[in-house]
Amino acid sequence: MKISFWGVRGSIPSPLTPMQIQAKITAVVQRITQKDIESQDSRERFIMTLPAWLYGTTGGNTPCVEVKSDDGTEIVLDAGSGLRVMGKHGNKPADNHYNLLLSHFHWDHLQGLPFFDAAYNQETTIDIYSVFPAAKRLLRDQMKRPYFPVSFDTFTKKINFHTISPAESFSIGNLKINCCKMSHPGNSYSYALTENGKKFVYATDVELSQRDFDRTSARAAVFENADCVVLDSQYTVAEAYQKENWGHSAFCYAIDFAVHWNIKSVFLFHHEPMYDDKKLNSILLAARWYAEYIEHAEIKIYLATETSEIQL
């Protein structure tokens, strides 16, 4: 399966500010030497040496992760503002069929749906899955006046809602799917997608606590021995203490959690909207250092960034 990131930011969209762009330009200029601008080749070599946080950006769109199975099934995890970008620039499924899995109904995970171009195409089919029986009403309500000028009824008529049970696995195409409830205000659900012996886990919006380390059949089905987890790591430890019960985790807790469940790789996700690219890079380095400190350097740790892809 192929996993693509279209939105990785938490809470609210946070585009680059003019000050952040100016800071990037200043940092690049300070690194340039005379040799770096002598020729086209030297200029290109210089650009290639720039760190990822300086040359690019993590992204400012709220959560949306696309999964394409080996048989071409299209699954979208959450409908944050990244869904709009996916609709503009992603590769559309040949059969115009999308499967949307929703973790919960906070605005940052829904706000992209009214701007998803494919939803207005009457040839599009969308199957929407969630644990919440009120899903249809909740999605319709966010598009009522005065909140939005276009109603939900303008969408394709081929929208089907499915209420799933956390206690039961189900399948979409070749993908077997399990889910479990996480600690988050209003509840949020994590999903494990398994195909050809590879397990991918989407675990956004979770405030990790000791009970998340307790072994239950539901948690084991989702997390145990996963190849890759996209995991909420919005805060530093100090912020996690200050924002108790806000529903998000510190990056080091995410590493502890991955170690506990024998997960091979971690993508830090749901980034704090106040963090710029330099700060997020420092968190990535700190997370890798922490894994070494607890003697688990074998875990691969990455920063979830918009337009990046994973192949499992």
Side-chain angles (χ1 to χ4, degrees):
M1 72 183 94
K2 184 174 77 171
I3 299 100
S4 303
F5 293 103
W6 296 102
V8 298
R9 191 70 64 160
S11 303
I12 192 170
S14 50
L16 281 171
T17 67
M19 289 182 63
Q20 290 170 349
I21 294 172
Q22 291 165 14
K24 282 176 178 281
I25 294 172
T26 299
V28 170
V29 170
Q30 290 173 341
R31 292 166 182 251
I32 296 175
T33 68
Q34 184 63 37
K35 291 183 179 180
D36 294 325
I37 57 175
E38 286 178 344
S39 66
Q40 180 67 26
D41 287 343
S42 64
R43 290 192 289 272
E44 291 179 359
R45 285 195 300 270
F46 169 73
I47 290 172
M48 291 175 63
T49 65
L50 292 173
W53 67 266
L54 193 53
Y55 181 63
T57 183
T58 304
N61 282 295
T62 55
C64 180
V65 176
E66 178 188 28
V67 177
K68 288 194 175 183
S69 68
D70 292 346
D71 70 350
T73 300
E74 175 88 9
I75 294 182
V76 181
L77 293 153
D78 278 341
S81 64
L83 182 64
R84 184 191 72 87
V85 184
M86 191 195 88
K88 299 287 186 185
H89 303 294
N91 293 319
K92 298 175 176 58
D95 59 358
N96 287 330
H97 184 191
Y98 296 86
N99 297 284
L100 176 59
L101 274 64
L102 296 174
S103 63
H104 64 306
F105 286 79
H106 286 166
W107 277 340
D108 53 328
H109 296 258
L110 305 179
Q111 59 198 182
L113 185 59
F115 299 92
F116 182 43
D117 291 347
Y120 296 93
N121 181 348
Q122 297 303 313
E123 299 302 314
T124 298
T125 299
I126 304 176
D127 282 277
I128 300 177
Y129 298 79
S130 85
V131 178
F132 300 85
K136 184 175 183 178
R137 175 179 61 79
L138 295 171
L139 293 179
R140 290 179 70 92
D141 284 354
Q142 77 157 343
M143 296 179 67
K144 286 182 177 178
R145 294 182 180 180
Y147 309 115
F148 200 73
V150 180
S151 77
F152 187 88
D153 292 331
T154 311
F155 280 168
T156 172
K157 302 305 183 286
K158 301 177 183 178
I159 296 182
N160 310 298
F161 286 85
H162 308 268
T163 302
I164 59 180
S165 169
E168 300 175 2
S169 63
F170 62 101
S171 296
I172 299 177
N174 287 340
L175 288 162
K176 177 184 176 182
I177 302 172
N178 293 85
C179 74
C180 66
K181 185 167 72 172
M182 309 303 291
S183 301
H184 189 72
N187 296 328
S188 180
Y189 289 81
S190 292
Y191 291 97
L193 287 68
T194 305
E195 181 183 39
N196 298 328
K198 297 290 186 181
K199 184 194 285 190
F200 168 72
V201 179
Y202 177 75
T204 185
D205 291 55
V206 52
E207 186 167 359
L208 292 170
S209 65
Q210 186 55 51
R211 65 177 170 271
D212 295 298
F213 292 74
D214 294 340
R215 184 179 180 82
T216 66
S217 57
R219 290 194 192 100
V222 171
F223 294 107
E224 192 165 45
N225 300 321
D227 294 279
C228 174
V229 62
V230 170
L231 186 54
D232 187 320
S233 50
Q234 183 163 341
Y235 299 142
T236 62
V237 173
E239 288 169 331
Y241 279 118
Q242 293 169 358
K243 299 178 180 180
E244 188 175 358
N245 298 323
W246 285 36
H248 302 288
S249 297
F251 66 86
C252 56
Y253 300 165
I255 306 306
D256 289 335
F257 186 78
V259 169
H260 177 78
W261 289 106
N262 192 36
I263 298 172
K264 299 179 180 65
S265 62
V266 179
F267 280 76
L268 307 179
F269 187 72
H270 205 271
H271 308 307
E272 165 62 40
M274 290 300 294
Y275 291 166
D276 62 13
D277 292 308
K278 186 176 182 180
K279 174 70 171 181
L280 290 172
N281 183 68
S282 71
I283 286 177
L284 173 62
L285 296 178
R288 289 173 174 171
W289 173 86
Y290 179 73
E292 293 179 1
Y293 176 75
I294 63 173
E295 299 183 350
H296 280 281
E298 76 280 1
I299 293 181
K300 297 178 180 178
I301 305 169
Y302 307 95
L303 201 67
T305 60
E306 286 182 27
T307 72
S308 62
E309 295 180 347
I310 311 167
Q311 187 72 50
L312 290 183

